[in-house]
Amino acid sequence: GVTELPDELKRHFRGLRELDARVNSLQKQLDEDMVLQLKNAAAAPVSNGKAKRQKSNAQKGVQDQDIGDPDLARRIHENMNQIMMISEEKVKRAQQVYDLVDQHIRKLDKDLKNFGAEVSKERDRLDIPVPVREQKSTVDQSSGRKRKETPRSDAEAPVEVDPNMSAEQLYQEALAVTDPNEPKYCYCNRISFGEMIACENDDCPIEWFHFGCVGLTPENRPVGQWFCDECKAELRRQKQIK
């Protein structure tokens, strides 16, 4: 909640709320004044020559200053200017909030990196092995795409999966020991857990899928190439075009 934010952020949010309240008040007054001005203009007697001039001005987009109450027109104009000025101030405040949040995120990233370094140093000191999921990233840092390799560091060894565990149990177990920056896979957009299979289409946007999410089991594991439903449909479409 807002109460948990740093004082500087809370101050900006309070300022934005105050600006919103001012705009709402001005907008309400503006709406009432414009309705009243329209009524005044409709009730005022208009000569033929003046009516033609007003019609011509309206077609040209020119406001006729003689229509309605001049004091009311002045207040409408002033309130519109006030609303514009406050809106510009809100944009500036919002940018300041964005910059402040971005600054805190960068600080958190730095703290997390330092914490990870301390953890690694302590592991080395105590001779604790690195968990499997932290040994190798499967994301190409230069492009952001996941590489066509198994999303586990122990690629040559088969994955030991307890057949009595449900997919949700496997997921929760993996989540408990996973690096926060672990890539997401599959239709479910979750981390690697259990058995997974790769789509053979090099341009597949997802690439890796959990067995359970694509209706596979260790018993019906496909032999040879396997494509996800979207890539199979795209390949069929390309064949039809050719």
Side-chain angles (χ1 to χ4, degrees), residues 89-122:
E89 177 64 23
K90 284 173 64 179
V91 171
K92 291 179 183 177
R93 288 286 187 99
Q95 183 62 49
Q96 289 172 344
V97 170
Y98 176 87
D99 292 341
L100 194 57
V101 171
D102 186 57
Q103 178 184 337
H104 281 280
I105 289 174
R106 287 199 303 269
K107 184 178 182 301
L108 282 173
D109 286 342
K110 183 179 179 181
D111 291 343
L112 280 173
K113 186 176 180 181
N114 292 337
F115 177 73
E118 289 295 325
V119 169
S120 296
K121 191 184 298 183
E122 192 67 11

Side-chain angles (χ1 to χ4, degrees), residues 129-145:
V130 179
V132 167
R133 295 176 186 277
E134 296 184 16
Q135 289 179 6
K136 179 174 69 176
S137 170
T138 58
V139 175
D140 185 339
Q141 299 296 336
S142 62
S143 66
R145 271 185 67 83

Side-chain angles (χ1 to χ4, degrees), residues 70 77 130 230:
H77 182 70
V130 179
E230 285 73 13

